[in-house]
Amino acid sequence: MKDISCRRSSWRCLAGLVAMLAVASASAQVPTQLPPLSSPVPGTIPQQAPTAEQLQMLQQLPESERQALMQSLGISGGTQPGQTSSGTPLQQAAPVAVPVSPPEQPTGPPTLAAGSTVIVKLRLPRANGDVSLDTQRRVQAGAGSSNVDEELGELQQLARLEGGQVDPEIERLFQQRVQRNAQLGFLLGASTYVLDHQGRLTFPGVATLALAGLTENQAARRIEAEPSLRPLTAEVMLLPLERFGVDALEPFGYDLFRDLALTFFPATDVPVPADYTLGPGDEVRVQLFGKRNESYNFTVTREGEINFPDTGPVGVAGLSFGELRDLIQERVTEQMIGVSASVTMGQVRTIRVFVLGDVERPGSYVVTGLSTMMNALFVGGGVSESGSLRNVQLKRGGRTIQTLDVYDLLLRGDSRRDARLQSNDVLFVPPRGATVAIGGEVQRPAIYELAGEKSLDQIVALAGGMTATAFAATARIERVDLTGGRSVRTVDLDDSTGRKAAVRNGDRVTIDPLPDDVLTDHVTLAGHVQRPGPFEWRPGMRLTDLIRSVNDLKPDADRRYVLIERQSDRTGPIQVFSADLAAALKAPGGTDDPMLQNLDTATVFDLGSGRTAVMGPLLRQLRLQAAFGNPAREVEIGGMVHAPGTYPLEEGMRVSDLIRAGGDLNESAYGLSAEITRYEVESGTRRVIDLREVDLAAVLAGDPNADLTLAPFDQISIRQVSQWRRKGSVVIQGEVQFPGSYTIEPGEKLGSV
């Protein structure tokens, strides 16, 4: 059994030798200098050289086995046992440092999660020609008709006017899902969505999709694959998740201790205050002058005395520096006639204090005798965020002799309670107490620790008070109730009762800013003007009081069509009408100069850049106000006008008014007649089209009988003069008197040319 055990041990030893030889072989082939075994490279595993016992076993192997083993390890046959291929003894072979690769961090695009904020851009596929977004919206909206063929024909006509072509897939979708398209029309464009707590995104009234865990591209493909959203194309952009509001607040005061140096340097060149208490190790310097001119340096002994010449030992331990000075001066005056003394402090002693509790680096520290409680906190790395800033305790002899509220120093600069330390003092920081978070329109939004504060006005005072833009009437207090849920209470900080509202641990207070549109008694001037913005409104104010002259406009402003939006209150329906500014400026106060009401908005357009940016959102609001029996108030003009498009239908609006809204006729317009397409509901069951001819020449001449009153959804088409852009020319070359290019008339023959 013993022999078997020895053989097993030998085999284990030989196995270790094989590994060592492999290491030695590898090290002999590495040209660089490897670090010594006593100082391995960080992040590496050092390998030990073979032991003497392992080398002895290698030498005891038969020559053939030994050579085969060494050859299998890549060691040359001429190598002696116990040496590498380079002749280096194996006992002295340098250790091999095997790098340890750090774990790979997962990389890749970010994924969506519950609560993620994303921007989703939905659009329709393009056909061969570009069809404007307004036209595509008309496809999706379905124009409110149940007659698919008529609406599709209207769409094709609009597409032809724009020089494009309707996508066949859109036609199929229009025919199959007219009702659903009315909902999809509101989804076109870019909108912001927030995933719910289950990571789902909801398109109101259309679909709810689970997108958590998907990348931006995967989420876009998932949206496009939803049957109820076909054939829309999607783009998804994940916004970075950032905390905001009360959730983004940090505890107040702890940044005071950030970025501290690891070494505390005591102040040695500051004056010693009169209340400094002397103890063993302090140095006292006495200068005698008068009949005697001598200097002495005394060190307070362990017994608390100094040995003053000619007067004997003087007990000074426990005395303040001011008391010591008076004592020595009194003794010198009494015992040395004609001699006076000047007493100063030399090197102050060092003391050992303990900084414990919720600090960054608790422990025992040696500081100067001039150190205070705040100095010791800095030595200990500062208070951790779990520690209290309102109840820092100084313990001496097992009793708390002083408490420090760091808020007094931070908020009021009051250091009266920052007591000086003595040897073996304990500075203890207990856990943080009750807290209240306050955010919004205050000077210092943060999480504050309470120390006797019980009312809301005291919390606002801790935060430095409210800003000038605070809306104090709707301050909110969020609170964890007894059932574990959160409740909200709204208080008015302008009222004394609201200011005295009680707060408790865990409350979150939010003070909102004043609304952006909180202005009252004002009108707004917008668009292509020199000075846009709000202006004072007064009773009897007219448009020319807001726009006094053409100098208030920018170049190329449309003076014939100024759009005025009116809203009786901030949530009521919108009314729209227009004014002819050019006529109003000619006769201020006349019938063309409309009266303005409070909160009106007047918009001046640019003749060159179009009107879609303003008209689009306004028309969407008007469509939202539409209901059964009250259709959306909009009309459309197309063809040969400067600004074709859809416009709000004003009360009593006529053909001439819509032409003025469209920027008037351009130079190629056919001025004799125009066509109105009118939609009417017949017998309450079906919608039919009525085409009417308009005597455009009479309208332009001011004939009220020809100037028809418009109805919702009317469309005016202004034709182009026949062959307006048609130009014929021929080039004559050769043996003629005047070769060149010549314009020809229809029917002209070669002879006349």
Side-chain angles (χ1 to χ4, degrees):
M1 292 294 293
K2 181 177 180 181
D3 185 54
I4 293 175
S5 176
C6 290
R7 282 201 296 267
R8 288 178 178 173
S9 176
S10 298
W11 279 112
R12 286 195 297 268
C13 189
L14 183 59
L17 175 61
V18 171
M20 294 301 106
L21 285 175
V23 170
S25 174
S27 65
Q29 299 171 9
V30 177
T32 57
Q33 181 67 36
L34 296 175
L37 186 61
S38 59
S39 57
V41 178
T44 63
I45 302 175
Q47 300 291 334
Q48 300 292 338
T51 65
E53 182 183 2
Q54 292 170 337
L55 291 175
Q56 183 179 3
M57 291 192 61
L58 179 63
Q59 293 172 352
Q60 293 175 356
L61 289 174
E63 180 66 22
S64 59
E65 295 183 10
R66 184 170 64 245
Q67 292 296 333
L69 175 61
M70 298 177 67
Q71 288 178 4
S72 65
L73 296 174
I75 303 174
S76 61
T79 304
Q80 297 296 324
Q83 291 185 343
T84 65
S85 60
S86 60
T88 304
L90 284 176
Q91 295 94 328
Q92 301 176 3
V96 177
V98 181
V100 179
S101 301
E104 296 184 0
Q105 298 295 331
T107 58
T111 58
L112 281 63
S116 295
T117 302
V118 295
I119 295 179
V120 180
K121 183 177 181 180
L122 298 176
R123 58 187 179 186
L124 289 164
R126 296 288 185 174
N128 295 333
D130 286 339
V131 180
S132 69
L133 181 61
D134 183 66
T135 301
Q136 296 192 56
R137 288 183 184 277
R138 293 185 58 82
V139 179
Q140 294 302 104
S145 171
S146 60
N147 192 324
V148 176
D149 293 334
E150 293 176 357
E151 291 298 328
L152 186 57
E154 175 193 4
L155 170 65
Q156 293 169 339
Q157 179 184 1
L158 289 172
R160 284 194 298 271
L161 289 175
E162 296 173 1
Q165 174 182 340
V166 180
D167 193 302
E169 180 68 12
I170 297 179
E171 295 182 5
R172 185 186 64 81
L173 175 68
F174 193 88
Q175 294 172 346
Q176 293 182 354
R177 300 180 178 179
V178 173
Q179 299 300 324
R180 181 178 59 83
N181 288 347
Q183 296 173 319
L184 292 182
F186 294 102
L187 299 179
L188 289 179
S191 301
T192 303
Y193 298 89
V194 178
L195 273 62
D196 62 15
H197 66 283
Q198 296 181 355
R200 300 178 302 180
L201 185 149
T202 299
F203 296 105
V206 179
T208 298
L209 309 177
L211 302 181
L214 303 182
T215 64
E216 295 173 336
N217 289 334
Q218 291 170 343
R221 304 293 80 78
R222 173 64 184 90
I223 293 173
E224 292 174 350
E226 180 65 21
S228 59
L229 292 171
R230 293 177 182 171
L232 303 182
T233 61
E235 296 179 17
V236 177
M237 182 176 68
L238 174 62
L239 298 181
L241 182 60
E242 295 183 0
R243 297 187 303 164
F244 60 93
V246 181
D247 293 332
L249 298 179
E250 299 289 341
F252 174 75
Y254 295 92
D255 54 354
L256 174 68
F257 305 103
R258 292 177 184 167
D259 302 325
L260 292 177
L262 296 180
T263 305
F264 176 73
F265 296 96
T268 58
D269 56 351
V270 296
V272 177
D275 61 347
Y276 173 71
T277 303
L278 279 82
D282 283 331
E283 183 183 17
V284 180
R285 297 175 180 176
V286 179
Q287 172 71 42
L288 300 181
F289 58 92
K291 288 185 178 181
R292 298 173 58 177
N293 190 9
E294 299 172 354
S295 297
Y296 300 95
N297 290 340
F298 305 109
T299 300
V300 180
T301 65
R302 293 183 179 179
E303 290 75 21
E305 298 176 342
I306 61 173
N307 294 314
F308 199 83
D310 301 333
T311 63
V314 179
V316 298
L319 297 179
S320 67
F321 174 60
E323 293 172 341
L324 170 68
R325 185 170 49 198
D326 294 341
L327 175 62
I328 293 179
Q329 289 175 347
E330 182 181 353
R331 285 206 174 192
V332 169
T333 302
E334 291 178 353
Q335 300 182 16
M336 300 179 183
I337 299 174
V339 179
S340 299
S342 173
V343 183
T344 60
M345 288 293 299
Q347 186 70 36
V348 296
R349 71 187 185 277
T350 58
I351 59 176
R352 180 172 295 277
V353 296
F354 299 90
V355 183
L356 303 174
D358 288 88
V359 292
E360 293 294 341
R361 296 190 298 271
S364 173
Y365 295 93
V366 176
V367 296
T368 69
L370 295 174
S371 298
T372 64
M373 299 173 69
M374 284 298 298
N375 297 140
L377 286 179
F378 281 105
V379 172
V383 181
S384 64
E385 288 199 3
S386 61
S388 172
L389 292 178
R390 310 296 304 271
N391 187 29
V392 181
Q393 302 171 7
L394 176 60
K395 296 178 180 291
R396 185 173 298 159
R399 296 185 303 108
T400 300
I401 64 169
Q402 182 70 289
T403 58
L404 173 65
D405 186 349
V406 182
Y407 280 20
D408 289 339
L409 181 63
L410 295 176
L411 300 179
R412 292 177 284 276
D414 184 359
S415 62
R416 289 177 296 177
R417 299 189 66 83
D418 188 14
R420 189 168 290 110
L421 303 177
Q422 296 185 14
S423 183
N424 294 320
D425 278 353
V426 176
L427 193 69
F428 180 74
V429 179
R432 186 169 63 185
T435 59
V436 170
I438 180 169
E441 295 302 306
V442 291
Q443 301 291 349
R444 290 186 299 268
I447 301 173
Y448 290 91
E449 183 181 358
L450 303 182
E453 292 84 6
K454 297 181 179 180
S455 61
L456 183 55
D457 60 342
Q458 292 176 317
I459 303 301
V460 174
L462 284 178
M466 294 182 289
T467 65
T469 58
F471 190 45
T474 59
R476 303 191 306 276
I477 302 177
E478 298 181 35
R479 176 171 298 167
V480 178
D481 54 31
L482 298 179
T483 62
R486 298 194 73 91
S487 60
V488 180
R489 178 186 175 189
T490 302
V491 297
D492 185 358
L493 287 175
D494 289 330
D495 181 70
S496 60
T497 303
R499 290 193 294 270
K500 298 301 180 184
V503 295
R504 67 187 189 193
N505 184 27
D507 283 356
R508 302 197 300 180
V509 180
T510 303
I511 300 178
D512 294 322
L514 291 170
D516 293 336
D517 56 350
V518 77
L519 292 176
T520 58
D521 296 335
H522 78 285
V523 292
T524 302
L525 180 60
H528 205 60
V529 294
Q530 298 287 358
R531 291 175 294 276
F535 292 87
E536 179 188 4
W537 173 83
R538 58 186 181 275
M541 186 176 186
R542 292 182 179 269
L543 179 61
T544 53
D545 296 323
L546 182 63
I547 306 175
R548 298 180 179 275
S549 70
V550 294
N551 295 327
D552 294 335
L553 308 176
K554 290 184 178 180
D556 299 327
D558 188 352
R559 306 180 193 178
R560 292 261 295 150
Y561 183 71
V562 175
L563 187 67
I564 300 175
E565 302 174 45
R566 176 165 296 169
Q567 199 168 12
S568 57
D569 56 67
R570 302 186 188 280
T571 60
I574 295 177
Q575 301 176 6
V576 181
F577 62 96
S578 66
D580 187 342
L581 179 60
L585 291 175
K586 290 181 180 179
T591 56
D592 293 321
D593 190 9
M595 300 278 291
L596 298 180
Q597 294 184 8
N598 186 24
L599 306 181
D600 279 356
T601 298
T603 302
V604 179
F605 294 97
D606 179 11
L607 287 173
S609 59
R611 302 171 181 181
T612 305
V614 175
M615 290 299 178
L618 179 60
L619 290 171
R620 283 196 295 270
Q621 286 183 281
L622 293 175
R623 289 164 187 165
L624 290 174
Q625 296 175 189
F628 179 76
N630 182 27
R633 300 187 62 79
E634 60 181 66
V635 288
E636 186 174 347
I637 185 170
M640 301 301 105
V641 291
H642 287 97
T646 304
Y647 291 89
L649 175 62
E650 307 169 27
E651 190 69 31
M653 190 174 191
R654 295 178 177 271
V655 173
S656 59
D657 296 322
L658 184 54
I659 293 175
R660 177 170 54 85
D664 293 324
L665 307 182
N666 62 29
E667 69 278 10
S668 65
Y670 179 67
L672 297 181
S673 66
E675 184 180 71
I676 293 182
T677 303
R678 176 165 296 178
Y679 298 92
E680 296 180 347
V681 178
E682 186 179 78
S683 303
T685 58
R686 59 191 300 266
R687 193 181 186 193
V688 296
I689 295 179
D690 181 19
L691 298 179
R692 300 187 181 186
E693 197 73 15
V694 177
D695 188 349
L696 189 56
V699 171
L700 298 177
D703 184 356
N705 296 324
D707 198 2
L708 302 179
T709 302
L710 300 178
F713 302 113
D714 276 359
Q715 296 179 14
I716 297 180
S717 178
I718 305 297
R719 306 182 183 94
Q720 188 179 51
V721 172
S722 178
Q723 299 183 352
W724 169 259
R725 299 189 181 277
R726 198 170 187 182
K727 178 182 178 182
S729 63
V730 296
V731 177
I732 307 260
Q733 295 180 345
E735 299 300 323
V736 293
Q737 291 286 345
F738 306 106
S741 177
Y742 292 87
T743 302
I744 61 174
E745 298 178 358
E748 191 166 1
K749 296 183 179 180
L750 179 61
S752 63
V753 175

